[in-house]
Amino acid sequence: PASLTGPINLGNPVEFTIAELADRVLKLTGSRSRVVHRPLPTDDPRQRRPDISRAMRELGWQPRVVLAEGLKATITYFDAVLAAKGRKLTEVA
């Protein structure tokens, strides 16, 4: 509605570390890539958990896809994009 203004956070409030995400991607793709750890930027947020209460209240919105399903769908998509170019996802990393 026109009366609804301002930013509304969308996302999944289930929190996980970037290291956990990287590990999941490596396992799902079968990649032999290695994770390189670098110092965090000084302005890096310590928590990446969106507050979606406004989206739920004002829009009736809530996440419907769990991380594992979303990653599998994303990997399938990029496999198809790369296959169209004659490449494989594991060749990219």
Side-chain angles (χ1 to χ4, degrees), residues 24-82:
R24 286 184 181 202
V25 170
L26 292 175
K27 286 179 182 172
L28 288 170
T29 61
S31 173
R32 294 184 315 250
S33 297
R34 63 184 182 93
V35 175
V36 177
H37 297 271
R38 306 277 170 136
L40 293 175
T42 55
D43 61 345
D44 191 65
R46 297 291 176 205
Q47 186 176 22
R48 291 176 176 83
R49 183 178 182 196
D51 176 1
I52 63 168
S53 59
R54 186 169 184 218
M56 293 174 72
R57 184 178 62 251
E58 302 286 340
L59 304 174
W61 182 90
Q62 63 182 0
R64 295 181 296 175
V65 179
V66 297
L67 180 61
E69 290 175 22
L71 287 175
K72 288 177 185 176
T74 301
I75 291 164
T76 298
Y77 168 80
F78 281 106
D79 270 340
V81 168
L82 291 169

